[in-house]
Amino acid sequence: MSNLKCIPVLRVTQLDTNELDESILLTLKQSLNQDIFKYVQLNFCQKYFTEIFAAVKFLLWYYSYNKRSQTIGQSLLNWSYLENNKSNRIKKLIHCFIYCFDEIFIEKFPILIHKILSSLAKIQNQQSSNEELVNRRVERIKNFFSLFFRSVSFLHYLQFLFDGKFLRLWERILGLKPSYSREQFVKSYNHAISEREELWQTYFSLFKLIDSLVNFNKVLSRVAKFRAKNSAIQDEFSINICALCEHSPTMAHRSIDYEKIETCKHIFCYLCIKRALMDHQNKFECPICKKIIFDIELYNLNQD
């Protein structure tokens, strides 16, 4: 792309590309753990997972960036780096090391520092009892580099938000300028569609807020108790109404223990109560008074 004009890539496009590439790596890591490593001994996976995943990332890098000078996310969003052919190979090697072996470096860096400090201690003829001192020094060095890298990364990200040129720190160091593969055209935008989407999104957010604040099970329970209370109050006026379908009963039936004091005093259509008893294995609870009905008998509506 050395002979092509540099077409600056939008900040949001670079951020989307980074999100795509990280999502691909996360999906690969989950697939290794769930689909492949479940057939391998657990100790082996835990011990060599970082190295195995680095090899997988190398294969991904080789068939994407090395072959086409684009990551998968960049190819999806149609942009790449504007590179100088003379330094292209060196930049690719550095890019390979950062992309593929960053986790190995982060994992092995404290071990390397510990070995160096231990060797220096042996050279100075210090006793082995200073192992705890060496560990504290390693921890301080690791914390220092971690804080330094995070601070520099934060400042670099602020610079990216300001100029929109380099999303990652190593892109700025290597001089990898992001550029669209071809000229971009201004797209028309329908604001009516946007307003409708925002309105539905607002409704959905409001519903989620209400759902998180209101206990619907408690509300339904209170409504059921209120209805049962009203039904009990109006019980004397509903003697000619089926307690299940709430219509005038056809072939009216009642509980066979109707004459007893602590039994259900409601009447039902024959088909309604028969179906309810069959569904509940001849042990049906009246929906109004909550009394149990085991059997039924014919009831004459005109006998009262």
Side-chain angles (χ1 to χ4, degrees):
M1 294 182 58
S2 58
N3 297 327
L4 298 178
K5 179 183 177 182
C6 179
I7 307 173
V9 180
L10 297 175
R11 295 175 180 84
V12 65
T13 304
Q14 297 184 56
L15 291 171
D16 288 342
T17 302
N18 184 59
E19 188 69 23
L20 284 171
D21 290 332
E22 290 183 354
S23 299
I24 291 171
L25 292 177
L26 180 61
T27 303
L28 286 174
K29 183 176 290 188
Q30 293 175 348
S31 298
L32 284 175
N33 281 324
Q34 299 175 3
D35 301 332
I36 298 177
F37 284 170
K38 65 180 181 181
Y39 302 107
V40 185
Q41 293 182 357
L42 182 62
N43 294 334
F44 177 82
C45 300
Q46 293 177 346
K47 186 176 182 180
Y48 298 105
F49 180 79
T50 305
E51 290 79 1
I52 295 173
F53 189 62
V56 173
K57 289 199 294 185
F58 175 77
L59 292 175
L60 183 65
W61 174 87
Y62 182 80
Y63 288 103
S64 59
Y65 186 80
N66 184 61
K67 291 288 187 180
R68 297 177 297 176
S69 296
Q70 288 178 314
T71 64
I72 297 178
Q74 290 174 354
S75 62
L76 291 174
L77 297 179
N78 194 31
W79 68 274
S80 59
Y81 295 121
L82 191 67
E83 298 175 337
N84 185 356
N85 293 330
K86 294 181 179 180
S87 59
N88 188 24
R89 181 173 297 180
I90 298 176
K91 291 182 179 179
K92 281 189 175 182
L93 291 176
I94 299 176
H95 183 277
C96 174
F97 176 79
I98 296 174
Y99 180 81
C100 302
F101 306 106
D102 55 341
E103 294 184 5
I104 294 181
F105 177 77
I106 294 173
E107 180 180 331
K108 304 298 182 183
F109 178 72
I111 300 176
L112 178 63
I113 296 298
H114 186 275
K115 289 183 177 180
I116 293 175
L117 293 178
S118 298
S119 300
L120 292 176
K122 290 180 180 180
I123 293 175
Q124 297 175 1
N125 295 324
Q126 294 182 359
Q127 297 180 353
S128 58
S129 59
N130 290 330
E131 181 70 20
E132 184 178 352
L133 178 61
V134 173
N135 291 333
R136 288 202 300 267
R137 289 180 179 176
V138 171
E139 190 67 24
R140 285 200 299 267
I141 293 174
K142 186 177 71 172
N143 293 336
F144 169 77
F145 279 102
S146 177
L147 178 61
F148 175 77
F149 179 76
R150 291 182 181 181
S151 302
V152 173
S153 299
F154 176 73
L155 294 175
H156 174 265
Y157 187 73
L158 293 179
Q159 182 65 26
F160 164 74
L161 295 178
F162 177 76
D163 57 22
K165 292 183 179 180
F166 304 98
L167 175 59
R168 301 181 183 88
L169 180 61
W170 54 265
E171 291 178 354
R172 186 178 297 274
I173 296 174
L174 297 178
L176 300 176
K177 297 181 180 179
S179 176
Y180 283 112
S181 302
R182 56 177 178 267
E183 193 72 30
Q184 301 296 300
F185 300 97
V186 179
K187 299 179 181 179
S188 59
Y189 190 76
N190 192 340
H191 291 279
I193 297 177
S194 174
E195 292 174 357
R196 185 167 64 249
E197 292 294 332
E198 291 178 359
L199 183 62
W200 280 110
Q201 186 66 29
T202 303
Y203 287 152
F204 181 71
S205 301
L206 181 61
F207 175 76
K208 289 179 64 178
L209 178 62
I210 295 174
D211 182 60
S212 62
L213 296 177
V214 179
N215 189 339
F216 285 99
N217 291 330
K218 185 181 291 186
V219 173
L220 293 176
S221 176
R222 291 184 177 180
V223 171
K225 290 181 180 178
F226 179 76
R227 292 185 61 185
K229 182 178 180 181
N230 288 345
S231 298
I233 294 174
Q234 300 176 358
D235 193 29
E236 57 179 317
F237 303 104
S238 60
I239 192 64
N240 294 328
I241 301 297
C242 174
L244 291 175
C245 66
E246 297 182 354
H247 291 86
S248 180
T250 303
M251 294 178 63
H253 279 67
R254 65 184 183 183
S255 172
I256 198 170
D257 299 324
Y258 183 84
E259 300 299 335
K260 295 181 179 180
I261 297 177
E262 296 182 355
T263 56
C264 177
K265 304 299 181 181
H266 298 92
I267 61 172
F268 308 88
C269 298
Y270 173 73
L271 294 179
C272 293
I273 189 61
K274 192 64 177 177
R275 186 184 302 110
L277 287 171
M278 293 175 63
D279 291 342
H280 294 82
Q281 299 179 354
N282 295 327
K283 191 177 180 182
F284 174 66
E285 182 183 84
C286 176
I288 297 178
C289 63
K290 306 301 180 183
K291 303 293 178 59
I292 302 299
I293 300 174
F294 299 96
D295 201 357
I296 56 175
E297 64 180 2
L298 185 64
Y299 175 70
N300 186 4
L301 292 176
N302 298 323
Q303 70 180 11
D304 294 335

